[in-house]
Amino acid sequence: LFGGEDGGDAASHTYVWGSHFNDVWRLAPSGWTRLHPRGTQPPLLQGHSAVQIGGAMYVFGGLKATGTSDKDNNVLDSLNEVWRLDLDTLEWQQLEVTGVHPLARWSHTAVAMQGRMWVFGGFTNMKQQT
C-alpha cells in the first residue's frame, strides 16, 4: 500500500480533502507492517495507481498535495510521473519516461499484465476538446 488521503474528518470539517500520505505498508497473513524505503520518495499523493511487476511496485499519476492536511493544502497538481520501489532493497527511483506517455491524471485504474502496467481512464486537468 502506498500513500493516499484519509477522506477528511467530521470533527475537523475536512470533508473534501483530509490528510495526505506517502508512506508504504505491506500486508502479510500476520498483519500490516510499515516499511521505510530509502531514496527520494514520491510526493504526498492521492488518486494514483500502484501495481507490482516482478520485484517492484510501480506508482503512476495521482494528485500531488502541497501540504500534509487541509489546513495547509492549497493546491493539488495532477502528475504523470512514474515511480519504482524495489521491493528487495526498498529503494525508490523516479523513472524517466521518454516518448509518448499518458496525460497527467488521477482517479484512474491500472493493472499489471504480461510484465506491463496498463492504465485506463481517470481525470485530467485538460478541457474537453471538440
Side-chain angles (χ1 to χ4, degrees):
L1 170 73
F2 168 75
E5 67 100 21
D6 68 4
D9 181 313
S12 65
H13 304 288
T14 57
Y15 296 109
V16 179
W17 305 113
S19 296
H20 300 86
F21 307 97
N22 66 350
D23 51 354
V24 179
W25 293 79
R26 176 179 53 215
L27 177 62
S30 60
W32 287 100
T33 303
R34 183 171 182 174
L35 305 177
H36 300 280
R38 297 188 314 257
T40 302
Q41 296 190 13
L44 302 169
L45 289 176
Q46 69 182 58
H48 57 281
S49 59
V51 299
Q52 179 181 342
I53 300 173
M57 175 174 64
Y58 293 85
V59 175
F60 170 74
L63 288 172
K64 177 179 76 171
T66 58
T68 57
S69 71
D70 221 23
K71 294 176 183 172
D72 58 3
N73 185 33
N74 298 321
V75 178
L76 293 171
D77 295 324
S78 60
L79 301 177
N80 67 348
E81 296 176 354
V82 179
W83 290 81
R84 179 182 186 272
L85 176 62
D86 185 300
L87 298 174
D88 292 323
T89 64
L90 292 180
E91 189 159 349
W92 279 111
Q93 174 187 16
Q94 184 177 0
L95 301 181
E96 296 297 325
V97 179
T98 61
V100 177
H101 54 276
L103 292 172
R105 66 189 62 216
W106 72 95
S107 294
H108 55 281
T109 299
V111 297
M113 188 171 65
Q114 299 175 343
R116 293 183 170 93
M117 182 179 196
W118 298 80
V119 176
F120 176 78
F123 296 95
T124 71
N125 289 341
M126 301 294 293
K127 293 185 179 179
Q128 184 176 355
Q129 302 292 316
T130 58

